[in-house]
């Protein structure tokens, strides 16, 4: 069985490199977001993972597309990381600290970025990268068995040997 991948910082090795978004679920209370991704392991075998964001404080994204649903392929996610240097991370840690909700915010607030070339900001929001989730906790586990068969292998463009 493969080791559980970890969500690291933006400039660290990425365990979720070249993933595909298979499913996204938001609880009716808006407090939990579950993201199912298909991610290749080091040998290229696609594995399904669920990333559960608990205690969601903010969720945001934009698309560079036209909003049509004709695209058959799942959304490409080139990296998934925790951005502890963002303005939003600082804003939320300061707010929770002022409310007395946290003591050590470095372990109690997460800014999860699902970076994508197709879900990103444009115009006045051009700095928005991928899907942004600010939450209080993150869990990464194997996806439930009912997702088996939903693995998605992206076509690879091989470089020509010159």
């Amino acid at each position: 069985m493969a080791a559980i991948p970890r969500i690291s910082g933006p400039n660290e090795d990425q365990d979720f490199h070249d993933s595909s978004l298979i499913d996204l679920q938001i609880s009716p209370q808006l407090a939990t977001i579950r993201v199912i991704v298909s991610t290749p392991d080091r040998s290229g075998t696609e594995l399904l993972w669920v990333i559960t964001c608990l205690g969601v404080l903010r969720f945001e994204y934009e698309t560079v597309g036209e909003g049509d649903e004709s695209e058959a392929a799942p959304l490409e996610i080139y990296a998934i990381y925790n951005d502890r240097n963002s303005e939003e991370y600082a804003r939320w840690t300061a707010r929770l600290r002022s409310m007395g909700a946290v003591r050590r915010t470095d372990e109690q607030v997460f800014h999860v970025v699902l970076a994508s070339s197709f879900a990103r900001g444009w115009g006045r929001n051009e700095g928005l990268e991928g899907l942004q989730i600010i939450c209080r906790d993150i869990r990464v586990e194997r996806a439930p068995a009912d997702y088996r068969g939903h693995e998605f292998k992206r076509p690879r463009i091989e470089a020509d040997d010159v």
Side-chain angles (χ1 to χ4, degrees), residues 16-38:
F16 286 102
H17 184 65
D18 288 339
S19 295
S20 298
L21 181 65
I22 302 302
D23 197 7
L24 185 133
Q25 303 166 356
I26 302 173
S27 70
Q29 302 80 13
L30 306 178
T32 303
I33 295 177
R34 289 184 57 194
V35 179
I36 310 292
V37 293
S38 179

Side-chain angles (χ1 to χ4, degrees), residues 123-137:
R124 67 180 165 90
N125 293 333
E126 67 184 336
L128 184 66
E129 180 178 26
L131 286 73
Q132 309 269 321
I133 305 169
I134 307 288
C135 62
R136 300 292 305 275
D137 196 11

Side-chain angles (χ1 to χ4, degrees), residues 14-122:
Q14 299 294 319
D15 286 349
F16 286 102
H17 184 65
D18 288 339
S19 295
S20 298
L21 181 65
I22 302 302
D23 197 7
L24 185 133
Q25 303 166 356
I26 302 173
S27 70
Q29 302 80 13
L30 306 178
T32 303
I33 295 177
R34 289 184 57 194
V35 179
I36 310 292
V37 293
S38 179
T39 303
D41 65 9
R42 295 188 191 277
S43 68
T45 302
E46 291 292 325
L47 301 172
L48 294 168
W49 301 100
V50 59
I51 301 166
T52 305
C53 298
L54 302 155
V56 173
L57 302 166
R58 180 180 178 142
F59 175 53
E60 180 179 21
Y61 73 95
E62 284 190 5
T63 180
V64 294
E66 299 175 5
D68 71 29
E69 296 183 39
S70 63
E71 182 63 38
L75 181 69
E76 156 268 344
I77 303 290
Y78 63 81
I80 300 175
Y81 60 87
N82 181 23
D83 190 354
R84 291 187 173 173
N85 295 315
S86 72
E87 289 180 24
E88 281 301 303
Y89 174 85
R91 185 172 87 95
W92 283 98
T93 55
R95 177 175 185 261
L96 293 172
R97 196 178 289 136
S98 72
M99 295 170 60
V102 296
R103 292 189 187 118
R104 293 190 55 211
T105 54
D106 60 329
E107 295 179 5
Q108 296 177 351
V109 175
F110 299 86
H111 181 176
V112 180
V113 178
L114 286 80
S116 175
S117 300
F118 303 102
R120 57 184 317 110
W122 58 272

